[in-house]
Amino acid sequence: MGCEVINVQDLTTEVVENNQNLILGTSTWGAGELQDDWYDGLRVLQAANLADKTIALFGCGDCESYGDTFVGGIGELYNGIKESGANFVGAVSTDGYTFDDSEAVVDGKFVGLPLDDVME
């Protein structure tokens, strides 16, 4: 069993469909948006068969400067594929994070691991 790291620019439906477990990560740009290259990556994910795959999400953010959109990129990824039939794992408590709002919070938890630029 191995692990392969793929740049989102090189993501294809074949790569997605040939893997049972996916760990997807993104930074958050602007007002809680995905980084630019992830928009094509999201379309690839939406075109692939994700049914019964296991997906974990993580994202980089800065709650101090962008507390109103903290790790919103994770939320955009999640919202784009949440109806795919995939099993999402790795929800994280909001405890210890200081932010005003985040699209990545569902049912009181982050949908993936937020990596805060300024959190100690």
Side-chain angles (χ1 to χ4, degrees):
M1 183 183 305
C3 177
E4 184 178 4
V5 176
I6 297 177
N7 186 313
V8 68
Q9 294 174 333
D10 301 323
L11 192 64
T12 65
T13 56
E14 180 181 27
V15 167
V16 171
E17 291 176 355
N18 286 337
N19 289 279
Q20 183 58 36
N21 303 307
L22 304 170
I23 301 172
L24 308 173
T26 185
S27 60
T28 299
W29 288 9
E33 300 158 1
L34 283 171
Q35 62 191 50
D36 290 344
D37 51 356
W38 252 114
Y39 286 103
D40 287 337
L42 183 55
R43 283 191 282 278
V44 168
L45 290 171
Q46 290 168 333
N49 180 5
L50 299 178
D52 300 319
K53 295 201 179 292
T54 300
I55 298 178
L57 303 173
F58 72 93
C60 302
D62 177 351
C63 70
E64 191 171 281
S65 298
Y66 300 97
D68 58 338
T69 59
F70 181 55
V71 292
I74 302 173
E76 285 208 28
L77 276 179
Y78 175 77
N79 288 330
I81 58 175
K82 68 181 178 184
E83 302 298 327
S84 66
N87 177 36
F88 290 88
V89 298
V92 174
S93 171
T94 59
D95 293 347
Y97 292 90
T98 304
F99 63 99
D100 298 318
D101 193 26
S102 178
E103 187 179 344
V105 175
V106 174
D107 296 329
K109 291 186 176 186
F110 289 106
V111 294
L113 176 64
L115 303 170
D116 192 343
D117 180 51
V118 296
M119 190 172 174
E120 296 180 16

